[in-house]
Amino acid sequence: MTARRDTKTPRRSHRAEPLPATRRRLAAKVAVIVTLAAMTCGTAVITTEPAGAAPRVAIVPSVLGVLDAADASVRTPDALAADPTSHGRAQLQAASRADAREALPDESAEGADGAAAAVTDPAQVAMPLAAGTFRHTSDYGPRSNPIGGGAGMHTGTDFSAPLGTPIHSIADGVVTHVGEGIDGRSSMLIIVEHEIDGETVESWYNHMYSDGIHVKTGQKVDAGQVIAEVGNNGYSTGPHLHLEIHPGTRSETVDPLPWLEAAEAVDVSDL
């Protein structure tokens, strides 16, 4: 008798077999994604309160909400003001603007010079004799010598005036010479050095008597100050002041009258 083969399929066990490692890793990732998804949607959390108190529900903000709020806060003026680095950036911007202003052409330079001129008075120039006390008797330039005859160069202007008429310094300056005449000038001679509009100028006063001189070498004088009295000393045909203007160098002379006019010389009574 032939034994009958059992053809039934063996019954499988219902016990779950362990997941392969790959599937376990995938499941973990899915769990993480689900958790993040739950967070992005917001999660209600019920906290435990003391007995008798109603449970408190706190909403955990979503990740996207937090990011959106942070992004919005950056764009608001309040957030910029609260930014600990905003002060430093503001200083850098201010310095940058200052540098830019310094790099621009100084359009106010002329105005600034004008303001400085307003507080710094320009050099005041005065006539050497008061109005009504003199008259012009001999101009600057070539002429016939009134004493020895012959042609010559008259290096100044003569102001005829009574003996003792006050002679005034034409500007602020320092007396550099008092005494005998030099360079062909006769006695007595006073030389005053001035700084006028940035230029060194000397004024020479001639023909005074010794007792009619009221300054000494090295003395500072002001515009309009009495420095001497009209005399008739030296090579002179009558009481007068011989005035010379030497701009730049001592050997150079110019016509005193046009120079005084260009310098806007005023009468001593207007000082």
Side-chain angles (χ1 to χ4, degrees):
M1 181 176 181
T2 305
R4 188 176 62 181
R5 180 180 297 177
D6 189 359
T7 58
K8 293 182 179 180
T9 304
R11 184 176 296 176
R12 294 182 179 179
S13 174
H14 294 285
R15 186 176 59 184
E17 297 180 358
L19 292 174
T22 301
R23 295 180 64 185
R24 288 200 301 272
R25 287 194 295 270
L26 178 60
K29 291 181 179 179
V30 170
V32 171
I33 293 173
V34 170
T35 302
L36 291 176
M39 291 179 65
T40 59
C41 296
T43 303
V45 178
I46 300 176
T47 60
T48 304
E49 297 292 337
R56 185 178 60 191
V57 178
I59 303 299
V60 178
S62 69
V63 175
L64 295 179
V66 172
L67 293 176
D68 289 342
D71 181 63
S73 67
V74 170
R75 293 190 296 266
T76 61
D78 291 342
L80 290 176
D83 182 359
T85 64
S86 63
H87 181 66
R89 290 199 301 270
Q91 288 182 325
L92 289 175
Q93 291 171 353
S96 178
R97 287 193 294 268
D99 291 340
R101 285 194 298 269
E102 291 177 359
L104 293 174
D106 188 3
E107 296 178 356
S108 62
E110 183 176 355
D113 290 344
V119 298
T120 304
D121 292 335
Q124 184 69 70
V125 177
M127 293 296 292
L129 299 177
T133 64
F134 68 92
R135 62 187 180 89
H136 295 116
T137 55
S138 184
D139 294 330
Y140 175 89
R143 70 169 184 175
S144 175
N145 192 317
I147 295 179
M153 176 66 183
H154 190 219
T155 54
T157 294
D158 290 345
F159 297 83
S160 178
L163 288 174
T165 300
I167 299 172
H168 307 268
S169 174
I170 65 166
D172 296 349
V174 178
V175 178
T176 59
H177 177 86
V178 175
E180 298 294 325
I182 60 174
D183 296 339
R185 280 67 170 180
S186 61
S187 298
M188 296 288 288
L189 176 66
I190 296 175
I191 299 176
V192 181
E193 183 178 290
H194 318 274
E195 288 294 326
I196 300 175
D197 295 333
E199 180 183 39
T200 300
V201 179
E202 287 184 343
S203 55
W204 292 28
Y205 310 80
N206 197 203
H207 297 308
M208 295 80 62
Y209 294 112
S210 297
D211 59 359
I213 294 177
H214 304 304
V215 293
K216 59 184 179 180
T217 302
Q219 179 179 338
K220 292 183 179 180
V221 295
D222 298 325
Q225 179 177 332
V226 175
I227 59 175
E229 301 171 12
V230 171
N232 189 31
N233 195 16
Y235 299 111
S236 174
T237 59
H240 73 283
L241 166 66
H242 172 86
L243 175 70
E244 297 183 13
I245 300 296
H246 296 247
T249 64
R250 177 161 290 188
S251 60
E252 179 184 1
T253 61
V254 296
D255 191 337
L257 293 182
W259 187 92
L260 289 169
E261 182 178 0
E264 299 181 351
V266 300
D267 186 72
V268 292
S269 62
D270 294 330
L271 294 175

